[in-house]
Amino acid sequence: MSHIEQSDGVPAAIAPAGEGMVFPAGSGGMPGGQAGESSGVQWRTDWDSRIEAVSGSCWVNAVAGTVLDGREVAVVGTEDATVRMLDMATGLLVGEPLTGHEDSVRCLATAVLDGRPVAVTGSEDGTARVWDLGAREQVGQMLELYRGPVNAVAATVLNGRPVVVTAGDDGTARLWDLATCEQIGDHLVRSCGDVWAAATAMHGDRPIAVTSEAEGPLQVIDLATGRPLGELTGHDGLVQDVATTVLDGRAIAVTGGADDTMRVWDLVTCEQLYSRPTTEPFSVSAGLVEGRPVAVTRAPSVYADGPRYDISSQVLRVWDLTGREPAGQVVDGPWFSEARTVTPRGRLLVSSRAGLAALTHH
């Protein structure tokens, strides 16, 4: 993954390549990474935020990266119903928390609206909201679903205007105009069960969405027409997470299911490219690093002696989607949350009970 110099001189100690271990300097930080089985890659922490308000008193459910006033920031959605920003150069909070949701923030995505960075958040309270990150205020009215939490939000651009897809326990996936906060057209999906996940991609010059339902196959939908383009069939059982990226110039989806497999799909043909057995498929992230597509999956927890929730370690596995093999793994003492993302600049943002850290790759 791309080499990015450390910010503000935060030091890290890197072991010899043969050992492949990385340890952040200082005390109280997250443990670093470990080399993958196949490539001898190395990880390091660029920064480590040990901010009580984020890592101690409230659990981070969602995270995304963006650029605000020329600096990289992490936007996080938390269990205490707030949206917070952290400076990725210092790990410090940027401004006051954004408030308005009445229950925990479950998912979020970042976008650009009229040249301004914004975040779209989905909550257990059954609403999605748009936030102007520079002005630190809500934009327009809330996007209200009929019942149940919002499970996923995914942003893209349709006919030159920013839009967002929401998926929720109300059995729908919907398309919204970010400028007006109004729904565009009819529901993209109407399901008898929950819609678990949604991700967006580009099919040539057309934006598309991939949705996962509790009942039924994954659907690929043309956002310009609202019509399905095809189905992704192959998983045996629930698919709880979907991520998209680009492989050889073509849009692909990475999915994780209850059948203990990670599968990679060509979104142009709706055909499966390949699958890999893995024991951590329920949580999937994907992105481009130095032009190479990668996916990140979360391994099951390793429990120490004692209470069930006394977790000793957990592994994030990074997959090289071009080589179709694991590229490396990041090991942490406390458990990882669902909150992680690959930023546009090739860093892996990951949250755990130890805090929120940005990891880079050698």
Side-chain angles (χ1 to χ4, degrees):
M1 302 178 83
S2 59
H3 176 87
I4 301 177
E5 294 298 324
Q6 291 176 270
S7 303
D8 291 351
V10 178
I14 303 175
E19 299 177 21
M21 295 296 295
V22 183
F23 303 93
S27 61
M30 291 179 63
Q34 178 174 322
E37 297 93 332
S38 59
S39 60
V41 295
Q42 294 180 339
W43 292 86
R44 73 175 183 191
T45 54
D46 261 352
W47 56 272
D48 172 30
S49 69
R50 296 177 293 279
I51 300 174
E52 185 70 16
V54 172
S55 62
S57 61
C58 56
W59 187 246
V60 174
N61 293 324
V63 61
T66 189
V67 177
L68 177 65
D69 298 329
R71 56 181 172 174
E72 277 192 294
V73 298
V75 186
V76 300
T78 64
E79 194 69 21
D80 71 350
T82 65
V83 180
R84 305 169 190 238
M85 290 182 288
L86 296 97
D87 189 320
M88 290 177 60
T90 64
L92 300 178
L93 284 170
V94 177
E96 295 296 318
L98 305 176
T99 60
H101 282 297
E102 297 179 357
D103 207 336
S104 62
V105 178
R106 192 165 187 168
C107 51
L108 69 83
T110 54
V112 177
L113 175 62
D114 297 330
R116 300 169 294 161
V118 298
V120 186
T121 56
S123 170
E124 292 274 355
D125 65 11
T127 70
R129 299 171 187 258
V130 184
W131 308 89
D132 184 321
L133 298 179
R136 297 179 178 82
E137 62 185 15
Q138 185 175 325
V139 177
Q141 63 188 3
M142 61 185 178
L143 319 182
E144 187 170 7
L145 277 67
Y146 294 128
R147 60 175 175 81
V150 181
N151 296 322
V153 293
T156 187
V157 176
L158 173 63
N159 298 327
R161 56 179 175 171
V163 296
V164 67
V165 176
T166 61
D169 274 7
D170 66 344
T172 70
R174 312 185 194 197
L175 182 65
W176 306 81
D177 187 316
L178 285 187
T180 64
C181 296
E182 295 179 350
Q183 185 172 333
I184 300 173
D186 200 1
H187 300 342
L188 301 174
V189 171
R190 289 182 182 269
S191 174
C192 295
D194 304 340
V195 182
W196 282 104
T200 56
M202 296 301 295
H203 183 319
D205 59 354
R206 293 185 299 169
I208 59 176
V210 185
T211 62
S212 172
E213 306 168 32
E215 301 177 10
L218 293 134
Q219 294 192 48
V220 182
I221 303 167
D222 185 332
L223 294 182
T225 63
R227 297 174 181 173
L229 295 174
E231 297 180 345
L232 309 181
T233 58
H235 277 292
D236 182 13
L238 176 67
V239 177
Q240 189 166 337
D241 213 356
V242 180
T244 57
T245 185
V246 178
L247 174 64
D248 297 330
R250 297 165 70 90
I252 62 171
V254 185
T255 57
D259 55 1
D260 291 336
T261 63
M262 179 188 74
R263 299 174 186 258
V264 180
W265 311 82
D266 186 322
L267 291 180
V268 176
T269 63
C270 293
E271 295 178 350
Q272 182 177 297
L273 297 176
Y274 62 91
S275 66
R276 288 290 180 269
T278 178
T279 56
E280 65 276 8
F282 261 44
S283 184
V284 178
S285 304
L288 288 176
V289 181
E290 289 188 342
R292 295 180 68 85
V294 300
V296 185
T297 57
R298 188 185 67 171
S301 305
V302 176
Y303 295 97
D305 294 337
R308 171 170 173 75
Y309 294 107
D310 185 9
I311 296 177
S312 61
S313 67
Q314 194 170 56
V315 175
L316 295 182
R317 183 168 288 110
V318 182
W319 301 81
D320 182 335
L321 297 179
T322 302
R324 305 187 178 190
E325 297 296 339
Q329 59 187 12
V330 181
V331 181
D332 181 35
W335 69 56
F336 287 116
S337 77
E338 298 288 340
R340 65 180 180 277
T341 188
V342 180
T343 73
R345 296 185 181 180
R347 288 197 267 192
L348 175 61
L349 284 176
V350 56
S351 173
S352 81
R353 286 198 307 180
L356 186 68
L359 305 175
T360 58
H361 198 265
H362 290 259

